[in-house]
Amino acid sequence: MSAETPIRSEFDPDHTSYRRSVQAGAIVTGSSQAVVALCQIVSVIVLSRLLTPSDFGIVAMSWPVIGLLSIFQDFGLTQATVQRPGITRQDVNFLFWLNVGISGLVALAIFATAPLAAAFYSEPKIAALLMAMSCLVLIQGLGAQHTALLNRRMRFPALSAMEVAGALGGLATSVIWALLSPSYWALFGGSLVTVLLPVIVAWSLSGWRPGLPRRAEGGRALVNFGAGLTGFNLSNFVARNADNVLIGRFLGGAPLGLYDRAYKLMLMPLRQATNPLARVMVPTLARLSDDPARYRQAYLTVVPLLLIALVPGVAALIIVAPTFIPFLLGPEWQESALIFSALGFAGLLQPLNNPAGWLFISQGRSRDFMIWGVVTATTSVAAFVIGLPYGVFGVAVCYTVSEYLRTPFLWWFIGRKGPVTARHMLGAAGPTLVGAHLALGGFFWFHPVLPGNPIAQAAIAASLTYSVTILIALIFPSGREAARNLLGMIPRRLQRKSS
């Protein structure tokens, strides 16, 4: 490694302050993600009324091409910046130029393959859209290392400002564009602004500027670490996008548009809640890797809180989907409601399974992460193929079944090494998951007597699912511990006022 002084975090690395950092980071990140999730929900609702299912289907056909080639753009280099115990300015400069170079090559590849993708789907509109989208990849490459440094330094307000700026700017652009010229190009315009604004903010707030391109002594180790993450990302891409490709190729753009809206309403907000928390947890866990007890405590403090916050809400949405989805999107989206409910059962497990990546990355287990990605991709694609003859609803059901079958094996695989075992996760997550499933099962008996108003239905369903889930969780020691941790995050002055 270079003899230069490592780039040090602005956060004091003293272990005694990690708990405060996690709490502060979780609060800031959670607040920003509430704004981002609201923007996504508003975008789905408003744009679904301004554009057609075919418009969304064209964009959904294009994203797998972008996503596939973009996997190689980052090559795990941003996570290498965050996870590596000591990193120099020379290392970061090397990674910056490597990111930019790879991004340029990927952008050229997307531009060149656009006509082939249009021929594959038999949809000529995709070619021009993909050519325009290639610029998004290059823009992202210019800001990747600046964002990684903000993450490493645990500058959570700056990271939150980036995401909020992108979400608000992208939403405004898409809506205005759709009002003036309703077409799939409105979705491209929103994506462009969503990518561009965070890069501008990251350059403004990171305090770091690249120098001339040059090699770094520690470059090989960084690239090797990133290679394992790239293997996972490639497998994960297949798992996340094979459904869109198969539906678009064999069922057409309109069915894909229905599936895409249901998917975005259910699973994307859940990832928006868990993925940004990686910014808080990965650097924290990486710096606690030599203290297994504190590492385990940090992880088992955050995940149960995440489950309590999200899982009962997912259960409520499954119940009210048949009336709530047409109310939000319009009657032409009625078919999305059943798809939404089917994906919702997979959504019950997402807040448990998505944070597993924090463990792989913070423990430096990029090869294991890649292996698990291959398992996920293989089983997901098999599920999509099995479900395809039964339409988009069949695809959604089979994917959900595969998620339930994979989950025990995921935690067995993680628990073979490291401080967090399958037994720990069963104790931490079991009460909330059991409570939500019992609440969901019981509530179906009362669904026929719910009021006809969709908003009233949603309010009653949410109140009951959260109440039942929390009450059942409190029976178990881990549920009571999660409740104490939640109260501990509330400022003492507010607790005094409430008492």
Side-chain angles (χ1 to χ4, degrees):
M1 191 176 69
S2 173
E4 295 182 42
T5 302
I7 297 176
R8 297 184 64 82
S9 170
E10 294 181 2
F11 172 68
D12 186 353
D14 180 12
H15 288 259
T16 59
S17 56
Y18 279 141
R19 181 181 178 85
R20 293 195 301 272
S21 175
V22 171
Q23 290 179 348
I27 291 171
V28 171
T29 302
S31 300
S32 67
Q33 286 312 297
V35 176
V36 172
L38 180 61
C39 288
Q40 288 184 331
I41 293 170
V42 171
S43 173
V44 170
I45 295 171
V46 175
L47 293 175
S48 294
R49 292 180 177 274
L50 296 176
L51 304 176
T52 67
S54 295
D55 289 327
F56 290 101
I58 290 171
V59 176
M61 291 178 195
S62 303
W63 276 119
V65 180
I66 299 288
L68 174 60
L69 295 174
S70 296
I71 290 169
F72 302 98
Q73 167 197 3
D74 179 76
F75 205 73
L77 302 179
T78 54
Q79 289 292 351
T81 300
V82 174
Q83 190 270 343
R84 185 163 179 169
I87 194 167
T88 68
R89 293 188 178 273
Q90 185 184 40
D91 292 334
V92 176
N93 192 68
F94 167 76
L95 294 176
F96 170 82
W97 288 110
L98 190 56
N99 270 133
V100 171
I102 296 175
S103 297
L105 293 175
V106 169
L108 287 174
I110 292 171
F111 193 92
T113 57
L116 298 177
F120 174 80
Y121 286 115
S122 301
E123 176 54 77
K125 295 177 181 178
I126 292 176
L129 182 60
L130 275 173
M131 290 177 182
M133 283 182 165
S134 64
C135 68
L136 304 181
V137 175
L138 185 57
I139 293 171
Q140 286 179 321
L142 289 169
Q145 286 301 313
H146 294 79
T147 303
L149 284 177
L150 290 173
N151 192 4
R152 180 181 179 85
R153 292 167 173 163
M154 298 186 178
R155 293 183 58 183
F156 303 122
L159 292 166
S160 298
M162 288 169 48
E163 284 217 324
V164 170
L168 292 174
L171 172 62
T173 302
S174 290
V175 171
I176 294 172
W177 195 321
L179 288 169
L180 297 176
S181 178
S183 75
Y184 55 88
W185 285 107
L187 301 175
F188 164 76
S191 298
L192 176 62
V193 174
T194 299
V195 170
L196 180 60
L197 284 181
V199 172
I200 294 173
V201 175
W203 273 72
S204 301
L205 300 181
S206 69
W208 177 80
R209 295 293 180 268
L212 295 175
R214 57 173 59 93
R215 296 183 64 179
E217 293 181 24
R220 182 181 295 274
L222 292 166
V223 171
N224 287 340
F225 177 82
L229 294 184
T230 301
F232 169 79
N233 290 334
L234 180 60
S235 301
N236 190 53
F237 166 83
V238 173
R240 300 300 187 195
N241 291 276
D243 48 354
N244 284 353
V245 173
L246 292 170
I247 292 171
R249 178 67 177 82
F250 294 103
L251 300 181
L256 177 57
L258 294 169
Y259 181 87
D260 180 69
R261 290 297 86 188
Y263 188 94
K264 293 249 183 341
L265 270 177
M266 173 53 72
L267 297 184
M268 289 302 288
L270 291 174
R271 293 193 187 120
Q272 285 297 330
T274 56
N275 290 351
L277 274 176
R279 294 196 218 123
V280 181
M281 295 304 298
V282 170
T284 301
L285 293 172
R287 284 153 184 77
L288 290 173
S289 58
D290 59 347
D291 190 340
R294 300 190 71 193
Y295 181 103
R296 181 168 51 250
Q297 181 185 22
Y299 188 83
L300 296 182
T301 296
V302 172
V303 172
L305 295 179
L306 196 63
L307 291 170
I308 287 178
L310 298 178
V311 171
V314 173
L317 289 172
I318 294 172
I319 295 167
V320 301
T323 54
F324 202 65
I325 297 301
F327 170 74
L328 284 180
L329 306 184
E332 67 272 23
W333 296 91
Q334 176 68 53
E335 291 181 56
S336 287
L338 281 177
I339 304 168
F340 180 91
S341 293
L343 292 174
F345 282 93
L348 292 171
L349 298 180
Q350 294 290 309
L352 169 66
N353 293 340
N354 287 349
W358 307 347
L359 299 177
F360 283 119
I361 296 171
S362 63
Q363 295 172 22
R365 295 167 59 186
S366 62
R367 185 175 180 275
D368 283 351
F369 204 16
M370 178 181 68
I371 292 171
W372 181 253
V374 172
V375 172
T376 300
T378 303
T379 53
S380 294
V381 172
F384 299 148
V385 171
I386 293 171
L388 195 62
Y390 304 96
V392 289
F393 179 69
V395 172
V397 169
C398 289
Y399 170 73
T400 294
V401 171
S402 73
E403 186 77 11
Y404 275 80
L405 294 176
R406 277 192 303 269
T407 296
F409 293 101
L410 167 63
W411 289 103
W412 167 81
F413 186 64
I414 291 176
R416 296 179 310 136
K417 304 176 186 176
V420 180
T421 67
R423 180 177 58 83
H424 292 133
M425 287 311 303
L426 178 63
T432 301
L433 291 175
V434 169
H437 281 80
L438 289 176
L440 181 59
F443 207 85
F444 273 114
W445 292 94
F446 298 98
H447 187 266
V449 300
L450 286 175
N453 185 282
I455 297 178
Q457 277 192 18
I460 294 172
S463 299
L464 291 179
T465 52
Y466 273 96
S467 299
V468 172
T469 301
I470 292 172
L471 286 174
I472 291 176
L474 289 175
I475 297 174
F476 301 88
S478 60
R480 294 192 292 273
E481 178 65 21
R484 285 192 291 270
N485 289 330
L486 181 61
L487 291 174
M489 297 179 68
I490 302 175
R492 291 183 179 180
R493 61 180 182 275
L494 295 181
Q495 293 185 40
R496 287 196 297 269
K497 288 180 181 180
S498 63
S499 59

